[in-house]
Amino acid sequence: MFQNKTDYDRGVNTFSPEGRLFQVEYALQAIKLGASALAIKVNDGVVLAGERKLNSTLLEPRSIEKIYEIDTHIACTASGFIPDARTLVEHARVESQNHKFNYGEPINVRALTQIVCDLALDFGESDSKSKTKMSRPYGVALLIAGVSDHGPQIYQTDPTGTMIEYQAKGIGAADEGIQSILKEQYKQDLTLEQAERLAILCLKNVMEEKINNSNVELAVITTAERRYTQRTSEQIQSLIDKV
Amino acid sequence: MYIPVNDMLKHFKQDAPAMANITHKSDQWSPYHDNSGTVLAVGIPGAVIVAGDTRLSNGYNILSRDATKLSQLTDKCVLATAGQYADFIALRKFLQQRLQLYEFQNEVQASTETVAHLLSRELYSRRFFPYYTFNLLAGLDENNHGVVYGYDAIGSYDKMTYGVQGSGQELVVAVLDNQLKGYNKINKTIPQTREEILDIILDCFSCAAERDIHTGDNVEILIITAAGTERIVKPLRKD
């Protein structure tokens, strides 16, 4: 799919005559270049997984962070322009604590996602009086997953600020490959371990490099404990062996 | 010569020029007024009972015999406030608006515990120009048991089974300590039923109205249960 280049793609917040915001659409393309990431929701909790694209054998794999903890009960993974993801995650972390400060309770996943999405279209030219804004859209999609009083939930956000709830979703360069595997094999009543194995299977099938315990990241939040837990390389290795 | 009482101070000020410019701190304008009255709340398994008199006063004057001190914030909780009425209204507005926003953003009404925390934060946010309010937040917790949270003017709060605030506080709380906890009671029979407790509450207000000039006119009682809210109004002494 290739849009016709017209003069209306210069201004960041200029509508084209057909009613399109080209910059936002181009931002959506940035996500298709990103490394794969996915999230799966089952009754027992949520699983998040991401591919670490290791460009050199000399780099430290653990310095590439793919899964971000937002609060003890919410985490997210991202695909696209990763520095933008860090800005959004930082905002989400602050707002989560703000909620806790004012209401004395953990924020629910949907409310937190809405807060992240509120930033998406807040770009453009900022005048000297108001706070400085982003000059362009964020070039990243997030999968925000967590457990709250509404149970385990996963939301996808994108540069348009749309939030959609999913049972299982993959994003990034291989999102279509991941979605087709999930469509076949996903069931809501899978155990958490089955969901983790499914996540590893998805990554194994779409990654160019051979999967091993340092080029993927895996984390879970269980319904029972509502606590973010990152899987160690040993745990990831045993899952890879079973798949 | 006869000097009318209101001119007494002016008269003496004229006689003593050195004293003429002294203004007493008590003459200074104050942003705070105590509109007095008494509120109480009692939590029991399955319900919470909140009551407040309806007299609004300022010093020795009655401003209204029919002013409510109770405000239902959510289906499950009620705010009862003694102190300055204007600050009660402002606080109530803030909480109503914030809780409406909470409901939109979180798709459920705030729990009583959440409201309690929010109230504390709002009171403390005015640490250096406090709301002159002495609050009780009464509601049902997640298990539909009655709980009462008591506050000071700057937001320090604690969960209690019963609480009293206002001008009749000292008179009433001692009675509740005796009746509901059995303190200093020889035959320790604790009331169990809602009707017994309602009787005690009505008696407390009658007692307070006898001795406290700022409490009287009517007592308004709200009973919150999972099924809904019931309202009872009974007359009190009008003098």
Side-chain angles (χ1 to χ4, degrees):
Chain A
M1 208 189 86
F2 200 65
Q3 294 97 330
N4 293 327
K5 249 189 188 267
T6 67
D7 287 334
Y8 294 95
D9 63 359
R10 295 306 155 116
V12 155
N13 35 27
T14 308
F15 271 106
S16 77
E18 302 105 49
R20 297 156 80 169
L21 281 176
F22 279 112
Q23 281 303 308
V24 175
E25 292 189 23
Y26 296 163
L28 285 162
Q29 295 295 326
I31 295 152
K32 302 219 173 107
L33 304 168
S36 310
L38 65 111
I40 300 173
K41 166 185 87 170
V42 291
N43 293 333
D44 291 341
V46 292
V47 177
L48 298 102
E51 170 197 356
R52 283 178 182 147
K53 269 228 162 81
L54 305 176
N55 294 321
S56 159
T57 49
L58 293 173
L59 66 78
E60 290 279 12
R62 59 167 190 256
S63 71
I64 302 184
E65 194 184 355
K66 290 321 290 282
I67 306 177
Y68 308 92
E69 183 181 358
I70 293 174
D71 199 340
T72 46
H73 64 300
I74 306 182
C76 82
T77 181
S79 188
F81 195 52
I82 295 300
D84 282 357
R86 287 195 205 279
T87 311
L88 294 174
V89 165
E90 186 60 26
H91 182 76
R93 284 171 175 164
V94 169
E95 288 300 323
S96 183
Q97 292 311 309
N98 227 359
H99 184 101
K100 241 187 204 150
F101 180 81
N102 285 319
Y103 298 107
E105 56 169 32
I107 191 169
N108 78 50
V109 188
R110 188 177 189 279
L112 186 274
T113 306
Q114 187 60 64
I115 285 170
V116 172
C117 289
D118 287 345
L119 290 182
L121 290 180
D122 192 19
F123 61 85
E125 264 175 52
S126 48
D127 51 42
S128 49
K129 285 185 197 147
S130 55
K131 211 177 77 166
T132 317
K133 302 200 274 197
M134 272 287 271
S135 55
R136 56 165 177 81
Y138 291 91
V140 69
L142 299 179
L143 284 173
I144 298 178
V147 183
S148 64
D149 284 345
H150 297 272
Q153 285 173 306
I154 295 173
Y155 287 91
Q156 185 200 1
T157 73
D158 63 17
T160 63
T162 311
M163 51 183 267
I164 304 177
E165 192 178 353
Y166 282 95
Q167 294 173 309
K169 184 80 171 71
I171 52 176
D175 62 344
E176 279 169 35
I178 297 176
Q179 282 307 108
S180 60
I181 302 173
L182 288 174
K183 271 209 191 103
E184 277 172 46
Q185 307 218 12
Y186 169 79
K187 277 188 254 311
Q188 191 162 359
D189 55 7
L190 291 176
T191 66
L192 200 63
E193 211 216 314
Q194 287 171 325
E196 289 182 70
R197 271 191 268 154
L198 180 55
I200 295 289
L201 178 71
C202 289
L203 287 177
K204 178 178 169 197
N205 284 0
V206 304
M207 276 168 66
E208 285 173 12
E209 277 77 37
K210 186 166 186 297
I211 191 171
N212 62 51
N213 64 15
S214 61
N215 64 9
V216 293
E217 219 171 286
L218 189 71
V220 303
I221 304 176
T222 60
T223 312
E225 286 178 20
R226 304 192 186 183
R227 201 154 197 92
Y228 171 81
T229 317
Q230 190 143 19
R231 291 298 187 220
T232 63
S233 351
E234 292 78 26
Q235 290 166 321
I236 294 176
Q237 188 59 52
S238 74
L239 285 164
I240 294 174
D241 294 337
K242 287 181 196 163
V243 158
Chain B
M1 77 199 227
Y2 172 67
I3 303 166
V5 67
N6 290 334
D7 293 323
M8 190 74 93
L9 191 58
K10 262 191 274 174
H11 176 85
F12 281 104
K13 273 189 179 170
Q14 283 166 2
D15 276 356
M19 304 274 280
N21 291 324
I22 292 178
T23 49
H24 297 266
K25 260 261 142 78
S26 54
D27 290 342
Q28 204 184 23
W29 176 83
S30 168
Y32 292 120
H33 297 281
D34 187 1
N35 299 120
S36 313
T38 309
V39 290
L40 72 79
V42 181
I44 55 180
V48 70
I49 305 170
V50 206
D53 74 319
T54 60
R55 174 174 289 176
L56 196 67
S57 39
N58 190 1
Y60 288 112
N61 302 310
I62 293 180
L63 299 174
S64 171
R65 296 192 189 273
D66 187 26
T68 178
K69 294 184 178 61
L70 310 180
S71 172
Q72 181 139 24
L73 298 174
T74 68
D75 289 344
K76 285 187 170 186
C77 79
V78 169
L79 176 70
T81 307
Q84 183 163 2
Y85 206 70
D87 281 359
F88 161 60
I89 300 287
L91 190 59
R92 182 180 70 179
K93 262 194 196 172
F94 167 84
L95 288 170
Q96 281 173 339
Q97 289 170 1
R98 253 323 189 102
L99 292 173
Q100 175 81 285
L101 209 55
Y102 181 99
E103 209 179 319
F104 284 139
Q105 290 171 345
N106 297 278
E107 298 171 307
V108 285
Q109 280 198 334
S111 66
T112 302
E113 196 183 339
T114 300
V115 179
H117 191 98
L118 180 63
L119 174 57
S120 170
R121 292 280 98 226
E122 174 59 14
L123 291 170
Y124 196 80
S125 75
R126 291 275 297 263
R127 174 65 176 83
F128 300 112
F129 181 15
Y131 286 101
Y132 191 78
T133 55
F134 300 95
N135 295 289
L136 292 170
L137 187 79
L140 300 173
D141 67 9
E142 297 299 294
N143 304 316
N144 285 334
H145 287 315
V147 290
V148 175
Y149 294 92
Y151 296 77
D152 69 5
I154 52 174
S156 164
Y157 77 112
D158 202 10
K159 202 197 292 199
M160 315 180 299
T161 42
Y162 62 89
V164 191
Q165 293 279 22
S167 52
Q169 181 181 34
E170 292 82 9
L171 295 167
V172 173
V173 76
V175 176
L176 290 183
D177 287 343
N178 176 271
Q179 292 294 308
L180 299 181
K181 283 238 173 92
Y183 285 177
N184 306 309
K185 214 177 187 190
I186 295 174
N187 294 322
K188 283 190 200 315
T189 46
I190 310 288
Q192 301 295 344
T193 68
R194 192 186 103 150
E195 283 61 39
E196 283 176 296
I197 293 182
L198 268 173
D199 281 343
I200 290 170
I201 289 176
L202 286 167
D203 283 348
C204 281
F205 272 93
S206 303
C207 291
E210 292 286 317
R211 294 287 186 174
D212 175 21
I213 57 171
H214 299 295
T215 302
D217 293 326
N218 293 297
V219 56
E220 182 189 6
I221 305 175
L222 291 178
I223 304 160
I224 322 289
T225 60
T229 306
E230 196 188 322
R231 184 170 179 263
I232 301 170
V233 179
K234 296 263 182 212
L236 292 175
R237 289 183 69 124
K238 299 204 181 326
D239 63 355

